[in-house]
Amino acid sequence: VRHTVPAGMDRKESDAYLRLDPARLPQHIAIIMDGNGRWARRRHMPRVAGHRAGVAAVRSTVETAARIGIPALTLYAFSEENWKKRPKTEVDFLMRLLCRYLKAEIKTLNQNNIRLEYIGRKQELPENVQCEMNDASEATHGNTGMVLTLALNYSARSEIVDAFRSLAEAAARNGGLHHLKVDEQSISEHLYTRNLPDPDLVIRTSGEMRLSNFLLWQLAYAEIYVTQTLWPDFRGVQLLEGIEEYQRRERRYGGLGQDPGHVHEHAKVPAHAEGKH
Ligand code: IPE
Ligand code: IPE
Ligand code: MG
């Protein structure tokens, strides 16, 4: 029995959606939105034109993810390293673009029942940007559908540092360092992502095969999907293609998985080979 296509999808998206198993969708998808500069350079345009064009990709991806019922989507918008190492003109442009996006998007986010959250060292961003960020997340606070998390001024190593500091401070408040409890659960509970499940799928656009300091703890067992598509050309249909590839993967978590080839490995050893070593 074919599942029904959510309203508002075009032909290509519906076809891609019908190839998916709706019962095995990733619960959390994380995306490294890369390739804006290269997109612009190919068109002999300034890098910032690529960032501007990337907004349409964000809209389409967010809308499709929400429509098909993905519970959590996290977008790497800019890293702490981007913020520290790129020219001020580019950083300023990204800040203005972010503010404009936040203002313009509130209505659509509410229409789609999406709650907006952030990860990253927000306190280091310009105050007016922090204001816009707070306004937008407050405006979507009551929504119960997909959680959209924007990683802004984000670094996974900084996140882990902040988690350890917060663990130590919590222990100090509770009567001293002998109350410090360090295990996987307590560390996870002090990360910025404490309210999110670990991503099942991480997508990187523009062909780069690296994590660039994104969710290092949380991506431990995520499936990695790299597409050559540059971020400004990415749309909902490419998201669905990434999910299709995800559904073809076998997740083993260090175990032996489902492949009969190794489940019954022992039984395949010919009788005469037994005991000869
Ligand atoms: C990704 O595009 C957006 C940000 C990192 C802010 P890039 O700006 O990294 O584009 P490329 O990698 O130079 O093509
Ligand atoms: C990673 O892309 C950060 C974002 C996409 C926001 P970069 O373009 O900064 O990564 P590197 O420098 O190529 O590793
Ligand atoms: Mg890049």
Side-chain angles (χ1 to χ4, degrees):
V1 180
R2 287 191 132 194
H3 43 291
T4 48
V5 174
M9 280 193 174
D10 65 19
R11 182 60 199 269
K12 275 189 183 162
E13 270 196 309
S14 326
D15 287 351
Y17 181 72
L18 288 170
R19 289 195 298 270
L20 300 182
D21 174 357
R24 290 191 303 119
L25 293 176
Q27 297 301 292
H28 182 184
I29 301 176
I31 306 184
I32 304 173
M33 309 186 288
D34 198 13
N36 296 351
R38 276 162 283 171
W39 183 93
R41 194 170 61 216
R42 283 184 197 171
R43 286 165 178 73
H44 309 286
M45 288 155 93
R47 291 180 53 79
V48 294
H51 297 320
R52 193 186 290 124
V55 175
V58 173
R59 284 203 179 105
S60 171
T61 306
V62 168
E63 189 165 61
T64 298
R67 272 181 184 158
I68 69 169
I70 300 295
L73 176 70
T74 297
L75 303 178
Y76 202 5
F78 61 88
S79 66
E80 204 175 303
E81 290 78 14
N82 293 149
W83 163 249
K84 284 178 178 153
K85 293 183 184 172
R86 294 200 181 185
K88 187 174 183 308
T89 48
E90 183 172 341
V91 170
D92 288 348
F93 184 91
L94 284 170
M95 294 300 144
R96 282 199 302 276
L97 194 65
L98 170 65
C99 288
R100 228 181 304 150
Y101 170 82
L102 291 174
K103 269 208 199 79
E105 258 1 69
I106 292 178
K107 204 172 142 207
T108 322
L109 294 177
N110 283 330
Q111 278 164 357
N112 290 296
N113 197 21
I114 299 170
R115 195 172 84 233
L116 185 62
E117 303 279 356
Y118 310 100
I119 53 174
R121 287 186 174 166
K122 186 161 90 169
Q123 69 281 8
E124 292 175 358
L125 295 173
E127 260 178 47
N128 69 309
V129 177
Q130 289 185 44
C131 276
E132 292 295 347
M133 288 166 65
N134 292 338
D135 286 353
S137 62
E138 272 163 33
T140 64
H141 189 75
N143 294 337
T144 54
M146 186 173 84
V147 180
L148 170 64
T149 304
L150 300 182
L152 301 167
N153 194 30
Y154 175 85
S155 143
R157 288 190 170 178
S158 295
E159 178 183 31
I160 292 169
V161 168
D162 289 349
F164 276 76
R165 285 183 183 154
S166 132
L167 263 176
E169 282 160 14
R173 276 198 308 275
N174 291 331
L177 275 186
H178 55 279
H179 288 281
L180 182 62
K181 185 165 159 265
V182 182
D183 55 21
E184 288 195 16
Q185 194 190 336
S186 63
I187 292 171
S188 295
E189 284 169 359
H190 284 80
L191 293 170
Y192 308 148
T193 53
R194 59 185 144 275
N195 296 320
L196 290 170
D198 287 345
D200 297 303
L201 170 65
V202 59
I203 296 175
R204 183 157 188 159
T205 56
S206 86
E208 305 296 350
M209 302 274 194
R210 52 177 173 263
L211 291 177
S212 301
N213 207 4
F214 189 43
L215 301 174
L216 296 181
W217 173 280
Q218 299 88 335
L219 293 177
Y221 272 106
E223 293 298 326
I224 302 174
Y225 174 74
V226 175
T227 167
Q228 294 300 320
T229 305
L230 303 175
W231 179 253
D233 294 327
F234 196 92
R235 291 293 180 276
V237 65
Q238 278 83 18
L239 177 76
L240 299 172
E241 284 164 8
I243 298 172
E244 189 185 356
E245 165 69 23
Y246 163 84
Q247 292 191 336
R248 280 197 292 264
R249 305 275 179 89
E250 187 200 11
R251 303 184 78 186
R252 295 201 199 105
Y253 300 98
L256 292 182
Q258 300 298 310
D259 177 2
H262 53 241
V263 171
H264 300 295
E265 198 73 47
H266 185 72
K268 283 195 307 193
V269 177
H272 66 266
E274 293 280 330
K276 278 197 179 167
H277 36 84

